[in-house]
PDB file of all heavy atoms in Angstrom:
ATOM      1  N   GLY R   1      86.580 231.798 256.047  1.00  0.00           N
ATOM      2  CA  GLY R   1      86.404 232.730 257.141  1.00  0.00           C
ATOM      3  C   GLY R   1      87.414 232.568 258.232  1.00  0.00           C
ATOM      4  O   GLY R   1      87.480 233.377 259.171  1.00  0.00           O
ATOM      5  N   TYR R   2      88.238 231.524 258.136  1.00  0.00           N
ATOM      6  CA  TYR R   2      89.193 231.223 259.186  1.00  0.00           C
ATOM      7  C   TYR R   2      90.642 231.403 258.742  1.00  0.00           C
ATOM      8  O   TYR R   2      91.457 231.946 259.484  1.00  0.00           O
ATOM      9  CB  TYR R   2      88.978 229.783 259.660  1.00  0.00           C
ATOM     10  CG  TYR R   2      89.785 229.363 260.861  1.00  0.00           C
ATOM     11  CD1 TYR R   2      89.557 229.959 262.096  1.00  0.00           C
ATOM     12  CD2 TYR R   2      90.774 228.384 260.766  1.00  0.00           C
ATOM     13  CE1 TYR R   2      90.278 229.581 263.220  1.00  0.00           C
ATOM     14  CE2 TYR R   2      91.486 227.990 261.884  1.00  0.00           C
ATOM     15  CZ  TYR R   2      91.243 228.599 263.102  1.00  0.00           C
ATOM     16  OH  TYR R   2      91.965 228.217 264.207  1.00  0.00           O
ATOM     17  N   PHE R   3      90.966 230.923 257.535  1.00  0.00           N
ATOM     18  CA  PHE R   3      92.349 230.930 257.075  1.00  0.00           C
ATOM     19  C   PHE R   3      92.505 231.724 255.800  1.00  0.00           C
ATOM     20  O   PHE R   3      91.806 231.502 254.825  1.00  0.00           O
ATOM     21  CB  PHE R   3      92.838 229.494 256.846  1.00  0.00           C
ATOM     22  CG  PHE R   3      94.114 229.394 256.053  1.00  0.00           C
ATOM     23  CD1 PHE R   3      95.302 229.863 256.608  1.00  0.00           C
ATOM     24  CD2 PHE R   3      94.113 228.872 254.768  1.00  0.00           C
ATOM     25  CE1 PHE R   3      96.476 229.784 255.876  1.00  0.00           C
ATOM     26  CE2 PHE R   3      95.282 228.781 254.043  1.00  0.00           C
ATOM     27  CZ  PHE R   3      96.475 229.245 254.607  1.00  0.00           C
ATOM     28  N   THR R   4      93.473 232.643 255.812  1.00  0.00           N
ATOM     29  CA  THR R   4      93.843 233.402 254.617  1.00  0.00           C
ATOM     30  C   THR R   4      95.365 233.432 254.550  1.00  0.00           C
ATOM     31  O   THR R   4      96.011 233.788 255.544  1.00  0.00           O
ATOM     32  CB  THR R   4      93.327 234.847 254.674  1.00  0.00           C
ATOM     33  OG1 THR R   4      91.890 234.824 254.829  1.00  0.00           O
ATOM     34  CG2 THR R   4      93.684 235.609 253.403  1.00  0.00           C
ATOM     35  N   PRO R   5      95.965 233.031 253.426  1.00  0.00           N
ATOM     36  CA  PRO R   5      97.423 233.025 253.341  1.00  0.00           C
ATOM     37  C   PRO R   5      97.996 234.438 253.327  1.00  0.00           C
ATOM     38  O   PRO R   5      97.298 235.408 253.020  1.00  0.00           O
ATOM     39  CB  PRO R   5      97.705 232.296 252.023  1.00  0.00           C
ATOM     40  CG  PRO R   5      96.462 232.510 251.216  1.00  0.00           C
ATOM     41  CD  PRO R   5      95.326 232.541 252.198  1.00  0.00           C
ATOM     42  N   TYR R   6      99.277 234.538 253.660  1.00  0.00           N
ATOM     43  CA  TYR R   6      99.960 235.824 253.575  1.00  0.00           C
ATOM     44  C   TYR R   6      99.994 236.316 252.122  1.00  0.00           C
ATOM     45  O   TYR R   6     100.145 235.513 251.202  1.00  0.00           O
ATOM     46  CB  TYR R   6     101.393 235.702 254.057  1.00  0.00           C
ATOM     47  CG  TYR R   6     101.531 235.438 255.540  1.00  0.00           C
ATOM     48  CD1 TYR R   6     101.860 234.153 256.008  1.00  0.00           C
ATOM     49  CD2 TYR R   6     101.388 236.447 256.479  1.00  0.00           C
ATOM     50  CE1 TYR R   6     102.021 233.890 257.358  1.00  0.00           C
ATOM     51  CE2 TYR R   6     101.553 236.202 257.834  1.00  0.00           C
ATOM     52  CZ  TYR R   6     101.867 234.925 258.272  1.00  0.00           C
ATOM     53  OH  TYR R   6     102.021 234.665 259.621  1.00  0.00           O
ATOM     54  N   PRO R   7      99.884 237.612 251.892  1.00  0.00           N
ATOM     55  CA  PRO R   7      99.995 238.118 250.508  1.00  0.00           C
ATOM     56  C   PRO R   7     101.433 238.018 249.985  1.00  0.00           C
ATOM     57  O   PRO R   7     101.658 237.825 248.788  1.00  0.00           O
ATOM     58  CB  PRO R   7      99.540 239.578 250.629  1.00  0.00           C
ATOM     59  CG  PRO R   7      99.757 239.951 252.054  1.00  0.00           C
ATOM     60  CD  PRO R   7      99.530 238.682 252.840  1.00  0.00           C
ATOM     61  N   THR R   8     102.416 238.182 250.882  1.00  0.00           N
ATOM     62  CA  THR R   8     103.826 238.029 250.528  1.00  0.00           C
ATOM     63  C   THR R   8     104.539 237.303 251.659  1.00  0.00           C
ATOM     64  O   THR R   8     104.037 237.250 252.798  1.00  0.00           O
ATOM     65  CB  THR R   8     104.537 239.376 250.286  1.00  0.00           C
ATOM     66  OG1 THR R   8     104.441 240.159 251.499  1.00  0.00           O
ATOM     67  CG2 THR R   8     103.879 240.140 249.156  1.00  0.00           C
ATOM     68  N   TYR R   9     105.693 236.756 251.356  1.00  0.00           N
ATOM     69  CA  TYR R   9     106.455 235.974 252.349  1.00  0.00           C
ATOM     70  C   TYR R   9     107.863 236.565 252.512  1.00  0.00           C
ATOM     71  O   TYR R   9     108.588 236.709 251.521  1.00  0.00           O
ATOM     72  CB  TYR R   9     106.531 234.516 251.943  1.00  0.00           C
ATOM     73  CG  TYR R   9     105.171 233.859 251.915  1.00  0.00           C
ATOM     74  CD1 TYR R   9     104.420 233.789 250.747  1.00  0.00           C
ATOM     75  CD2 TYR R   9     104.609 233.351 253.099  1.00  0.00           C
ATOM     76  CE1 TYR R   9     103.160 233.220 250.741  1.00  0.00           C
ATOM     77  CE2 TYR R   9     103.347 232.782 253.100  1.00  0.00           C
ATOM     78  CZ  TYR R   9     102.624 232.716 251.920  1.00  0.00           C
ATOM     79  OH  TYR R   9     101.373 232.151 251.917  1.00  0.00           O
ATOM     80  N   VAL R  10     108.204 236.877 253.731  1.00  0.00           N
ATOM     81  CA  VAL R  10     109.526 237.425 254.019  1.00  0.00           C
ATOM     82  C   VAL R  10     110.503 236.342 254.498  1.00  0.00           C
ATOM     83  O   VAL R  10     111.674 236.600 254.656  1.00  0.00           O
ATOM     84  CB  VAL R  10     109.440 238.552 255.070  1.00  0.00           C
ATOM     85  CG1 VAL R  10     108.608 239.716 254.560  1.00  0.00           C
ATOM     86  CG2 VAL R  10     108.899 238.031 256.393  1.00  0.00           C
ATOM     87  N   SER R  11     109.984 235.121 254.743  1.00  0.00           N
ATOM     88  CA  SER R  11     110.854 234.041 255.192  1.00  0.00           C
ATOM     89  C   SER R  11     110.239 232.699 254.832  1.00  0.00           C
ATOM     90  O   SER R  11     109.015 232.580 254.669  1.00  0.00           O
ATOM     91  CB  SER R  11     111.050 234.120 256.719  1.00  0.00           C
ATOM     92  OG  SER R  11     109.837 233.767 257.378  1.00  0.00           O
ATOM     93  N   PRO R  12     111.084 231.674 254.681  1.00  0.00           N
ATOM     94  CA  PRO R  12     110.558 230.332 254.413  1.00  0.00           C
ATOM     95  C   PRO R  12     109.657 229.805 255.517  1.00  0.00           C
ATOM     96  O   PRO R  12     108.735 229.047 255.252  1.00  0.00           O
ATOM     97  CB  PRO R  12     111.827 229.480 254.289  1.00  0.00           C
ATOM     98  CG  PRO R  12     112.912 230.447 253.912  1.00  0.00           C
ATOM     99  CD  PRO R  12     112.554 231.717 254.639  1.00  0.00           C
ATOM    100  N   SER R  13     109.908 230.198 256.774  1.00  0.00           N
ATOM    101  CA  SER R  13     109.082 229.684 257.871  1.00  0.00           C
ATOM    102  C   SER R  13     107.646 230.132 257.738  1.00  0.00           C
ATOM    103  O   SER R  13     106.697 229.387 258.058  1.00  0.00           O
ATOM    104  CB  SER R  13     109.654 230.125 259.226  1.00  0.00           C
ATOM    105  OG  SER R  13     109.683 231.526 259.348  1.00  0.00           O
ATOM    106  N   LEU R  14     107.408 231.369 257.261  1.00  0.00           N
ATOM    107  CA  LEU R  14     106.034 231.839 257.049  1.00  0.00           C
ATOM    108  C   LEU R  14     105.401 231.085 255.881  1.00  0.00           C
ATOM    109  O   LEU R  14     104.206 230.748 255.924  1.00  0.00           O
ATOM    110  CB  LEU R  14     106.016 233.338 256.787  1.00  0.00           C
ATOM    111  CG  LEU R  14     106.468 234.222 257.954  1.00  0.00           C
ATOM    112  CD1 LEU R  14     106.464 235.695 257.546  1.00  0.00           C
ATOM    113  CD2 LEU R  14     105.558 234.025 259.167  1.00  0.00           C
ATOM    114  N   TRP R  15     106.164 230.827 254.829  1.00  0.00           N
ATOM    115  CA  TRP R  15     105.668 230.067 253.696  1.00  0.00           C
ATOM    116  C   TRP R  15     105.297 228.647 254.153  1.00  0.00           C
ATOM    117  O   TRP R  15     104.240 228.120 253.811  1.00  0.00           O
ATOM    118  CB  TRP R  15     106.738 230.004 252.621  1.00  0.00           C
ATOM    119  CG  TRP R  15     106.346 229.396 251.306  1.00  0.00           C
ATOM    120  CD1 TRP R  15     105.931 230.045 250.176  1.00  0.00           C
ATOM    121  CD2 TRP R  15     106.355 227.994 250.957  1.00  0.00           C
ATOM    122  NE1 TRP R  15     105.675 229.148 249.183  1.00  0.00           N
ATOM    123  CE2 TRP R  15     105.928 227.890 249.625  1.00  0.00           C
ATOM    124  CE3 TRP R  15     106.683 226.821 251.664  1.00  0.00           C
ATOM    125  CZ2 TRP R  15     105.808 226.652 248.964  1.00  0.00           C
ATOM    126  CZ3 TRP R  15     106.571 225.596 251.016  1.00  0.00           C
ATOM    127  CH2 TRP R  15     106.143 225.526 249.684  1.00  0.00           C
ATOM    128  N   LEU R  16     106.162 228.044 254.969  1.00  0.00           N
ATOM    129  CA  LEU R  16     105.901 226.694 255.463  1.00  0.00           C
ATOM    130  C   LEU R  16     104.692 226.667 256.416  1.00  0.00           C
ATOM    131  O   LEU R  16     103.952 225.696 256.445  1.00  0.00           O
ATOM    132  CB  LEU R  16     107.134 226.154 256.178  1.00  0.00           C
ATOM    133  CG  LEU R  16     108.288 225.717 255.262  1.00  0.00           C
ATOM    134  CD1 LEU R  16     109.558 225.499 256.088  1.00  0.00           C
ATOM    135  CD2 LEU R  16     107.928 224.447 254.498  1.00  0.00           C
ATOM    136  N   ALA R  17     104.512 227.748 257.193  1.00  0.00           N
ATOM    137  CA  ALA R  17     103.369 227.808 258.087  1.00  0.00           C
ATOM    138  C   ALA R  17     102.071 227.777 257.311  1.00  0.00           C
ATOM    139  O   ALA R  17     101.123 227.052 257.649  1.00  0.00           O
ATOM    140  CB  ALA R  17     103.437 229.070 258.957  1.00  0.00           C
ATOM    141  N   ASP R  18     101.977 228.552 256.227  1.00  0.00           N
ATOM    142  CA  ASP R  18     100.769 228.533 255.393  1.00  0.00           C
ATOM    143  C   ASP R  18     100.613 227.199 254.695  1.00  0.00           C
ATOM    144  O   ASP R  18      99.470 226.693 254.543  1.00  0.00           O
ATOM    145  CB  ASP R  18     100.821 229.665 254.359  1.00  0.00           C
ATOM    146  CG  ASP R  18     100.243 230.974 254.911  1.00  0.00           C
ATOM    147  OD1 ASP R  18      99.715 230.965 256.044  1.00  0.00           O
ATOM    148  OD2 ASP R  18     100.315 231.981 254.200  1.00  0.00           O
ATOM    149  N   PHE R  19     101.712 226.590 254.246  1.00  0.00           N
ATOM    150  CA  PHE R  19     101.647 225.272 253.626  1.00  0.00           C
ATOM    151  C   PHE R  19     101.090 224.271 254.611  1.00  0.00           C
ATOM    152  O   PHE R  19     100.240 223.430 254.273  1.00  0.00           O
ATOM    153  CB  PHE R  19     103.038 224.852 253.152  1.00  0.00           C
ATOM    154  CG  PHE R  19     103.097 223.470 252.550  1.00  0.00           C
ATOM    155  CD1 PHE R  19     102.835 223.291 251.195  1.00  0.00           C
ATOM    156  CD2 PHE R  19     103.414 222.356 253.321  1.00  0.00           C
ATOM    157  CE1 PHE R  19     102.867 222.020 250.615  1.00  0.00           C
ATOM    158  CE2 PHE R  19     103.449 221.089 252.762  1.00  0.00           C
ATOM    159  CZ  PHE R  19     103.188 220.922 251.410  1.00  0.00           C
ATOM    160  N   LEU R  20     101.557 224.322 255.865  1.00  0.00           N
ATOM    161  CA  LEU R  20     101.105 223.408 256.905  1.00  0.00           C
ATOM    162  C   LEU R  20      99.619 223.572 257.187  1.00  0.00           C
ATOM    163  O   LEU R  20      98.866 222.588 257.218  1.00  0.00           O
ATOM    164  CB  LEU R  20     101.904 223.659 258.187  1.00  0.00           C
ATOM    165  CG  LEU R  20     101.382 223.007 259.472  1.00  0.00           C
ATOM    166  CD1 LEU R  20     101.473 221.489 259.381  1.00  0.00           C
ATOM    167  CD2 LEU R  20     102.159 223.530 260.680  1.00  0.00           C
ATOM    168  N   ILE R  21      99.156 224.800 257.386  1.00  0.00           N
ATOM    169  CA  ILE R  21      97.764 225.045 257.709  1.00  0.00           C
ATOM    170  C   ILE R  21      96.874 224.599 256.557  1.00  0.00           C
ATOM    171  O   ILE R  21      95.863 223.904 256.746  1.00  0.00           O
ATOM    172  CB  ILE R  21      97.532 226.533 258.027  1.00  0.00           C
ATOM    173  CG1 ILE R  21      98.329 226.938 259.271  1.00  0.00           C
ATOM    174  CG2 ILE R  21      96.037 226.804 258.270  1.00  0.00           C
ATOM    175  CD1 ILE R  21      98.372 228.445 259.494  1.00  0.00           C
ATOM    176  N   ALA R  22      97.250 224.998 255.339  1.00  0.00           N
ATOM    177  CA  ALA R  22      96.427 224.674 254.158  1.00  0.00           C
ATOM    178  C   ALA R  22      96.367 223.152 253.931  1.00  0.00           C
ATOM    179  O   ALA R  22      95.285 222.612 253.655  1.00  0.00           O
ATOM    180  CB  ALA R  22      96.999 225.372 252.933  1.00  0.00           C
ATOM    181  N   SER R  23      97.488 222.470 254.032  1.00  0.00           N
ATOM    182  CA  SER R  23      97.511 221.029 253.824  1.00  0.00           C
ATOM    183  C   SER R  23      96.636 220.310 254.849  1.00  0.00           C
ATOM    184  O   SER R  23      95.935 219.352 254.531  1.00  0.00           O
ATOM    185  CB  SER R  23      98.955 220.501 253.894  1.00  0.00           C
ATOM    186  OG  SER R  23      99.760 221.061 252.895  1.00  0.00           O
ATOM    187  N   THR R  24      96.685 220.796 256.091  1.00  0.00           N
ATOM    188  CA  THR R  24      95.888 220.204 257.165  1.00  0.00           C
ATOM    189  C   THR R  24      94.404 220.385 256.909  1.00  0.00           C
ATOM    190  O   THR R  24      93.622 219.435 257.023  1.00  0.00           O
ATOM    191  CB  THR R  24      96.263 220.849 258.499  1.00  0.00           C
ATOM    192  OG1 THR R  24      97.652 220.606 258.778  1.00  0.00           O
ATOM    193  CG2 THR R  24      95.406 220.288 259.651  1.00  0.00           C
ATOM    194  N   LEU R  25      93.991 221.579 256.540  1.00  0.00           N
ATOM    195  CA  LEU R  25      92.586 221.859 256.296  1.00  0.00           C
ATOM    196  C   LEU R  25      92.057 221.123 255.068  1.00  0.00           C
ATOM    197  O   LEU R  25      90.955 220.560 255.076  1.00  0.00           O
ATOM    198  CB  LEU R  25      92.348 223.361 256.142  1.00  0.00           C
ATOM    199  CG  LEU R  25      92.663 224.214 257.388  1.00  0.00           C
ATOM    200  CD1 LEU R  25      92.447 225.698 257.081  1.00  0.00           C
ATOM    201  CD2 LEU R  25      91.807 223.791 258.573  1.00  0.00           C
ATOM    202  N   GLU R  26      92.875 221.095 254.000  1.00  0.00           N
ATOM    203  CA  GLU R  26      92.427 220.405 252.783  1.00  0.00           C
ATOM    204  C   GLU R  26      92.247 218.904 253.011  1.00  0.00           C
ATOM    205  O   GLU R  26      91.257 218.308 252.604  1.00  0.00           O
ATOM    206  CB  GLU R  26      93.422 220.632 251.645  1.00  0.00           C
ATOM    207  CG  GLU R  26      92.990 219.960 250.350  1.00  0.00           C
ATOM    208  CD  GLU R  26      93.912 220.272 249.187  1.00  0.00           C
ATOM    209  OE1 GLU R  26      95.060 220.670 249.424  1.00  0.00           O
ATOM    210  OE2 GLU R  26      93.459 220.114 248.025  1.00  0.00           O
ATOM    211  N   ALA R  27      93.219 218.289 253.703  1.00  0.00           N
ATOM    212  CA  ALA R  27      93.120 216.846 253.970  1.00  0.00           C
ATOM    213  C   ALA R  27      91.887 216.538 254.811  1.00  0.00           C
ATOM    214  O   ALA R  27      91.183 215.549 254.567  1.00  0.00           O
ATOM    215  CB  ALA R  27      94.370 216.359 254.658  1.00  0.00           C
ATOM    216  N   ALA R  28      91.606 217.381 255.819  1.00  0.00           N
ATOM    217  CA  ALA R  28      90.447 217.161 256.659  1.00  0.00           C
ATOM    218  C   ALA R  28      89.152 217.319 255.863  1.00  0.00           C
ATOM    219  O   ALA R  28      88.192 216.560 256.044  1.00  0.00           O
ATOM    220  CB  ALA R  28      90.471 218.133 257.836  1.00  0.00           C
ATOM    221  N   PHE R  29      89.105 218.318 254.981  1.00  0.00           N
ATOM    222  CA  PHE R  29      87.908 218.553 254.179  1.00  0.00           C
ATOM    223  C   PHE R  29      87.632 217.377 253.274  1.00  0.00           C
ATOM    224  O   PHE R  29      86.500 216.875 253.185  1.00  0.00           O
ATOM    225  CB  PHE R  29      88.101 219.819 253.343  1.00  0.00           C
ATOM    226  CG  PHE R  29      86.931 220.141 252.443  1.00  0.00           C
ATOM    227  CD1 PHE R  29      85.867 220.891 252.881  1.00  0.00           C
ATOM    228  CD2 PHE R  29      86.916 219.693 251.129  1.00  0.00           C
ATOM    229  CE1 PHE R  29      84.795 221.179 252.062  1.00  0.00           C
ATOM    230  CE2 PHE R  29      85.843 219.979 250.285  1.00  0.00           C
ATOM    231  CZ  PHE R  29      84.781 220.733 250.754  1.00  0.00           C
ATOM    232  N   VAL R  30      88.667 216.895 252.575  1.00  0.00           N
ATOM    233  CA  VAL R  30      88.478 215.789 251.644  1.00  0.00           C
ATOM    234  C   VAL R  30      88.092 214.511 252.387  1.00  0.00           C
ATOM    235  O   VAL R  30      87.265 213.727 251.925  1.00  0.00           O
ATOM    236  CB  VAL R  30      89.751 215.567 250.814  1.00  0.00           C
ATOM    237  CG1 VAL R  30      89.620 214.335 249.924  1.00  0.00           C
ATOM    238  CG2 VAL R  30      90.014 216.793 249.923  1.00  0.00           C
ATOM    239  N   ALA R  31      88.676 214.294 253.597  1.00  0.00           N
ATOM    240  CA  ALA R  31      88.374 213.093 254.370  1.00  0.00           C
ATOM    241  C   ALA R  31      86.918 213.039 254.758  1.00  0.00           C
ATOM    242  O   ALA R  31      86.337 211.963 254.902  1.00  0.00           O
ATOM    243  CB  ALA R  31      89.262 213.038 255.604  1.00  0.00           C
ATOM    244  N   GLN R  32      86.289 214.201 254.914  1.00  0.00           N
ATOM    245  CA  GLN R  32      84.887 214.251 255.357  1.00  0.00           C
ATOM    246  C   GLN R  32      83.921 214.363 254.192  1.00  0.00           C
ATOM    247  O   GLN R  32      82.704 214.360 254.412  1.00  0.00           O
ATOM    248  CB  GLN R  32      84.694 215.424 256.312  1.00  0.00           C
ATOM    249  CG  GLN R  32      85.496 215.275 257.605  1.00  0.00           C
ATOM    250  CD  GLN R  32      85.419 216.528 258.453  1.00  0.00           C
ATOM    251  OE1 GLN R  32      84.411 217.196 258.526  1.00  0.00           O
ATOM    252  NE2 GLN R  32      86.512 216.851 259.131  1.00  0.00           N
ATOM    253  N   ASN R  33      84.425 214.478 252.973  1.00  0.00           N
ATOM    254  CA  ASN R  33      83.565 214.601 251.810  1.00  0.00           C
ATOM    255  C   ASN R  33      83.901 213.502 250.803  1.00  0.00           C
ATOM    256  O   ASN R  33      84.899 212.798 250.922  1.00  0.00           O
ATOM    257  CB  ASN R  33      83.745 215.987 251.149  1.00  0.00           C
ATOM    258  CG  ASN R  33      83.181 217.092 252.018  1.00  0.00           C
ATOM    259  OD1 ASN R  33      82.016 217.411 251.960  1.00  0.00           O
ATOM    260  ND2 ASN R  33      84.041 217.690 252.854  1.00  0.00           N
ATOM    261  N   VAL R  34      83.068 213.358 249.817  1.00  0.00           N
ATOM    262  CA  VAL R  34      83.261 212.293 248.842  1.00  0.00           C
ATOM    263  C   VAL R  34      84.557 212.472 248.079  1.00  0.00           C
ATOM    264  O   VAL R  34      85.279 211.536 247.832  1.00  0.00           O
ATOM    265  CB  VAL R  34      82.072 212.255 247.852  1.00  0.00           C
ATOM    266  CG1 VAL R  34      82.327 211.228 246.773  1.00  0.00           C
ATOM    267  CG2 VAL R  34      80.789 211.920 248.607  1.00  0.00           C
ATOM    268  N   SER R  35      84.892 213.692 247.697  1.00  0.00           N
ATOM    269  CA  SER R  35      86.105 213.954 246.931  1.00  0.00           C
ATOM    270  C   SER R  35      86.469 215.418 247.070  1.00  0.00           C
ATOM    271  O   SER R  35      85.742 216.203 247.657  1.00  0.00           O
ATOM    272  CB  SER R  35      85.885 213.625 245.440  1.00  0.00           C
ATOM    273  OG  SER R  35      85.015 214.575 244.865  1.00  0.00           O
ATOM    274  N   SER R  36      87.615 215.771 246.483  1.00  0.00           N
ATOM    275  CA  SER R  36      88.050 217.166 246.525  1.00  0.00           C
ATOM    276  C   SER R  36      87.154 218.043 245.655  1.00  0.00           C
ATOM    277  O   SER R  36      87.274 219.268 245.681  1.00  0.00           O
ATOM    278  CB  SER R  36      89.498 217.278 246.062  1.00  0.00           C
ATOM    279  OG  SER R  36      89.642 216.746 244.744  1.00  0.00           O
ATOM    280  N   ALA R  37      86.279 217.430 244.855  1.00  0.00           N
ATOM    281  CA  ALA R  37      85.367 218.181 244.004  1.00  0.00           C
ATOM    282  C   ALA R  37      83.990 218.340 244.627  1.00  0.00           C
ATOM    283  O   ALA R  37      83.014 218.609 243.957  1.00  0.00           O
ATOM    284  CB  ALA R  37      85.242 217.511 242.636  1.00  0.00           C
ATOM    285  N   ALA R  38      83.892 218.119 245.937  1.00  0.00           N
ATOM    286  CA  ALA R  38      82.606 218.257 246.625  1.00  0.00           C
ATOM    287  C   ALA R  38      82.090 219.691 246.478  1.00  0.00           C
ATOM    288  O   ALA R  38      82.863 220.617 246.306  1.00  0.00           O
ATOM    289  CB  ALA R  38      82.755 217.906 248.102  1.00  0.00           C
TER     290      ALA R  38
END
C-alpha cells in the first residue's frame, strides 16, 4: 500500500531509487520477522 515500482525507467537514477527503497523495506521486514519466508 506504500511502495510500487515504476512500470518503466527512463533513467538509471529512477531505477536506483526503486532499488534503494525496495532494499530498505525488504531488509527491515526480514529483520523484524523470522525469515524472508514469513
Side-chain angles (χ1 to χ4, degrees):
Y2 187 66
F3 166 67
T4 303
Y6 292 104
T8 60
Y9 295 94
V10 298
S11 70
S13 61
L14 295 177
W15 188 96
L16 285 167
D18 273 354
F19 178 87
L20 167 66
I21 297 169
S23 298
T24 299
L25 296 178
E26 181 175 20
F29 178 88
V30 174
Q32 296 173 36
N33 291 274
V34 175
S35 70
S36 58

